[in-house]
Amino acid sequence: MLIIYHASIAFQPWGHLIYFIQNKESSDILWLFMRIFNIWRIPILFMISGMGAYFALRNKNWKVFLKDRSIRILFPYIFGFFFICPINVFLFSTFYGKQFGYFPNPGHLWFLGNIYAYVLLLLPIMLFCIKNPDNFIFKIFRIILKHRLGIFSLALITGLEGVLFSPHDYVNYAMNIHGFMLGLICFFLGFILVSMKHDFWPIITNTRSIALFLACIFCMIRFYFVFTMVDYDGPKFVIGFESMCWMLAVFGYGSIYLNHQSKALTYLKNAVYPVYILHMPLQFLLSYLIMPIKLPLLLKLSFLIIGTLFCSIFLYEIIIRINWIRPIFGLKKNNY
């Protein structure tokens, strides 16, 4: 989804304003579909990261956990800051004939910086929750989850965040207070909810259809504002509420249709982190080569998406075979 989303930005009239190599022909319809995803695609990754923190911390002491998170998150972030993301700037500058200087930057890896900050900030609270299963935080959430519709109180939290912290553009998450606070909230909620698995998963499964229905309703309300008011995405509370409903629907349906072991899921689970790190410079390289060619827009888009995914997987297959490179891309070394 991230590859499709970023590839779509290259076909928007404003793509170059956020340093994407942009196609001369753009598509408003394409971005209309992306609007459905862009309000929850990043928040759900923060929730999943919080869930991952629980699984990583429950059987480790805090020192081992922090060391592991530093190797898995901070190390790839620092490496990418100096050696991956500057490639994007170089290709962009070269394509548009701009003067280029070596420019270390977080680029698309800003997400990792946020995650590591959340680990440091929330570690004492997470340790407290794990060591004290009957803590007051769990008690509050158990009371909420006892009621079938109580789970949707989480949507009130993200809706309120949108009102308090959201800038003009809700989907601008990178390196601002809105993105940081929304990520912090979603990360902590993910940790808490998966910690209460026996309370969380049944209710999330039983309310999946309601969550999807509410998400669609609030999406239509949001689109009403998009179509009737210039440069306005809708009330921030509505957007925040809709965002959580989409996430709850994804978790609910995922708990049914993806809750099984398979070779494909195992492969994708292991590949997703390196692909995330690699996909952006590969997309920029392919955009550099594809955009000047006279081809139909949809054909260019298809080449860009398929090419980025194929090249990312190809490099991933190389990375997993070189033990000393694996940590750079967030993978543990093989123990032979």
Side-chain angles (χ1 to χ4, degrees):
M1 187 168 68
L2 187 67
I3 289 174
I4 294 172
Y5 185 84
H6 282 159
S8 300
I9 293 177
F11 295 88
Q12 301 309 308
W14 42 264
H16 67 284
L17 299 177
I18 55 174
Y19 301 99
F20 275 69
I21 294 177
Q22 177 187 316
N23 190 49
K24 289 183 179 180
E25 182 186 0
S26 60
S27 172
D28 293 332
I29 296 177
L30 181 62
W31 191 245
L32 183 64
F33 286 104
M34 293 302 104
R35 281 180 181 270
I36 298 174
F37 303 101
N38 64 0
I39 66 165
W40 59 270
R41 65 182 185 88
I42 294 297
I44 199 171
L45 294 180
F46 283 126
M47 285 195 74
I48 293 171
S49 298
M51 293 176 175
Y54 164 76
F55 291 120
L57 185 57
R58 60 178 177 172
N59 295 321
K60 299 175 182 177
N61 63 50
W62 69 270
K63 293 181 181 179
V64 174
F65 171 76
L66 193 56
K67 179 182 177 181
D68 177 74
R69 295 296 93 178
S70 297
I71 294 172
R72 296 289 301 278
I73 298 173
L74 185 61
F75 186 35
Y77 174 75
I78 293 174
F79 178 83
F81 188 94
F82 289 103
F83 299 106
I84 298 290
C85 297
I87 298 173
N88 308 341
V89 180
F90 170 75
L91 291 169
F92 175 84
S93 301
T94 304
F95 185 85
Y96 287 105
K98 298 178 180 293
Q99 185 176 4
F100 172 75
Y102 173 64
F103 181 60
N105 68 95
H108 63 294
L109 302 184
W110 65 269
F111 178 86
L112 299 181
N114 280 35
I115 293 295
Y116 193 72
Y118 303 153
V119 167
L120 296 179
L121 288 171
L122 297 175
L123 182 57
I125 302 176
M126 293 190 294
L127 285 171
F128 169 78
C129 290
I130 288 177
K131 292 181 179 179
N132 302 277
D134 293 324
N135 65 80
F136 71 96
I137 299 175
F138 283 5
K139 288 180 179 179
I140 293 172
F141 276 88
R142 286 193 183 100
I143 293 172
I144 293 173
L145 295 178
K146 277 184 179 180
H147 303 280
R148 191 182 184 202
L149 299 181
I151 190 70
F152 295 103
S153 62
L154 303 182
L156 298 177
I157 298 174
T158 50
L160 184 61
E161 185 284 327
V163 174
L164 294 177
F165 297 104
S166 177
H168 175 71
D169 187 4
Y170 185 91
V171 300
N172 180 15
Y173 307 109
M175 293 175 286
N176 58 55
I177 185 62
H178 161 59
F180 187 86
M181 292 305 300
L182 181 61
L184 182 67
I185 291 169
C186 290
F187 184 93
F188 189 57
L189 287 177
F191 173 85
I192 292 296
L193 292 173
V194 83
S195 301
M196 306 171 59
K197 50 184 179 294
H198 298 301
D199 298 290
F200 173 63
W201 291 115
I203 194 68
I204 205 71
T205 302
N206 294 334
T207 58
R208 65 189 187 280
S209 297
I210 300 174
L212 181 60
F213 174 76
L214 289 174
C216 292
I217 293 297
F218 277 86
C219 183
M220 287 189 286
I221 294 173
R222 176 165 59 95
F223 274 33
Y224 167 79
F225 288 99
V226 170
F227 290 132
T228 58
M229 300 181 69
V230 178
D231 198 27
Y232 184 58
D233 289 335
K236 298 301 186 288
F237 181 85
V238 170
I239 301 174
F241 196 98
E242 179 197 342
S243 175
M244 179 57 72
C245 288
W246 282 117
M247 289 187 276
L248 295 176
V250 170
F251 287 131
Y253 282 98
S255 68
I256 295 176
Y257 298 108
L258 296 176
N259 190 21
H260 59 84
Q261 294 294 329
S262 74
K263 290 183 179 180
L265 285 176
T266 300
Y267 181 85
L268 293 172
K269 180 191 71 172
N270 294 329
V272 66
Y273 195 1
V275 167
Y276 155 67
I277 294 173
L278 291 167
H279 86 279
M280 192 66 87
L282 290 172
Q283 178 185 319
F284 273 56
L285 176 61
L286 290 170
S287 295
Y288 185 93
L289 299 173
I290 293 172
M291 295 312 180
I293 303 174
K294 291 183 179 180
L295 292 172
L297 184 148
L298 289 179
L299 191 58
K300 282 187 178 182
L301 176 64
S302 300
F303 283 153
L304 191 57
I305 293 173
I306 296 171
T308 301
L309 181 59
F310 176 82
C311 292
S312 298
I313 294 295
F314 177 77
L315 288 181
Y316 166 70
E317 286 291 337
I318 295 175
I319 289 167
I320 59 176
R321 288 165 171 79
I322 307 175
N323 213 24
W324 65 271
I325 290 181
R326 291 172 63 98
I328 294 174
F329 295 92
L331 301 173
K332 292 181 179 180
K333 286 186 177 182
N334 283 323
N335 295 319
Y336 298 105

